Amino acid sequence: MRAQVVIIGGGPAGLLLGQLLHRDGIEAVVLELRTRDYVLSRIRAGVLEWGAVETLDAAGVGARMHAEGLPHEGVYLAAQNRGFRIDFEARVGRRVMVYGQTEITADLYAARDAAGAVTIHEAEGVTPHGLDTDAPYVTYTKDGTEHRIDCDFVAGCDGFHGVSRTCIPKSVLRAFERVYPFGWLGVLSDTPPVSDELIYANHERGFALCSMRTKTRSRYYVQVPLSDKVGAWSDQAFWDELRRRIPEDSAARLVTGPSIEKSIAPLRSFVAEPMRWGRLFLAGDAAHIVPPTGAKGLNLAVGDVRYLHEALLAHYSDGDDTGIEGYSDRALARVWKAERFSWSMTMMLHRFPDQSPFEQRMQETELAYLESSVAAQTAMAENYTGLPF
Ligand code: APR
Ligand code: PHB
């Protein structure tokens, strides 16, 4: 078998790249380790920068997002039992779209099926070969039979635990990482959201976040120690802790109900450099991870894919390889800015195990400065709604 591009990973990054390439007549095969149902069972964040919204529209998969998504023109930050709003529209003239990543992935799979593009699920032992030659190929096993796909390029969109990043020689790869000493306990519930926009709360007991998927489905998080087990948290214990950490007026409005999903996720900042090696390009979580505090994970994957799509299109349509040569530096420049923002939001909003009273005051004062300063709010709004591509 032969394909111009082999995409390893059928998550948002891989599927969006496949869709953008297909629309330009560049055929790619997606090799996905898991079943379609497994991929679509993942619960992930759902805040889209408007640039990501426009990219999904350009990919022809924005219809359901605009029909079911929730445009948000601001966000609430809270500390010491009171909250204040950052008005994105007033500060930077942009907004965000709240629309679950699971839905985006489903929309991308539907488009891929409609296009008749090749997606191979349960592809095991995916292994790129000859990445430092002009004739790379990828092997994999499906139902016990080994297959080979010859190609021009390989897109590593296989997430943090994928195979692609390991194909870059250790002598070339540089990794930057910070693991945070806490996790997020998340609950999904079919209850109306406590607020019309998200609430990020700093509290001395720990961080809390009130988010949503729709007007009838809410997503909440509380910071927990890494030693906590999700089984030890009853729904009631979760709701009680959430109420303690958000402002009283919000807590009084909170509508609780049975959790339909409950899990604990660790927080990590991670960047791998370079994002290209020979005919291999990394995109999305395969190259970088952000703590979810800035809602940047999916948005960074979209940015990488935009750059990679542009580079591959220039190669195939004009024989112009400046995009390919410049992909890693261009993508990393934007990745690092989002890493900084996500790290700074995490440092401002979470309680660290060894945090001193002085450091708690610094967090509270940073929030107070944000509340009082148009300049500070503009900077926050610029980062949260998305830096330019
Ligand atoms: N071979 C084939 N597929 C693989 C392999 C492999 N060796 N390893 C992983 N995969 C698949 C996973 O099953 C997954 O479906 O690659 C896909 C990677 O998807 P994601 O992990 O969702 O990463 P990405 O597409 O970059 O999307 C980034 O997802 O994890 C969130 O917070 C993150 O919102 C961000 C978004
Ligand atoms: C979510 O809705 O899951 C969500 C929203 C914003 C974040 C993180 C997660 O920063």
Side-chain angles (χ1 to χ4, degrees), residues 44-47 184 198 200 209 211-213 219 221 292-295:
R44 294 275 172 71
V47 175
W184 280 16
L198 274 60
Y200 290 81
L209 171 61
S211 183
M212 64 196 76
R213 291 291 175 271
R219 181 66 165 167
Y221 299 93
T293 329

Side-chain angles (χ1 to χ4, degrees), residues 20 29 34 38 70 104 173 189 203 227 229-230 232 236 259 291:
L20 290 172
V29 172
R34 304 289 188 172
Y38 184 96
L70 302 171
I104 295 169
L173 189 73
S189 59
H203 191 278
S227 54
K229 303 297 179 214
V230 65
Q236 191 56 55
S259 59

Side-chain angles (χ1 to χ4, degrees), residues 8-14 31-34 39 42 44 101 123 126 157-163 283-286 297-298 301:
I8 305 175
L31 298 178
E32 165 56 47
L33 175 64
R34 304 289 188 172
V39 174
R42 294 180 183 132
R44 294 275 172 71
Q101 178 177 310
V126 173
C157 302
D158 46 351
F160 185 66
H161 301 289
V163 65
D285 276 15
L298 178 57

Side-chain angles (χ1 to χ4, degrees), residues 281-300:
F281 300 89
L282 303 182
D285 276 15
H288 41 72
I289 295 288
V290 283
T293 329
K296 289 299 168 197
L298 178 57
N299 291 297
L300 276 181

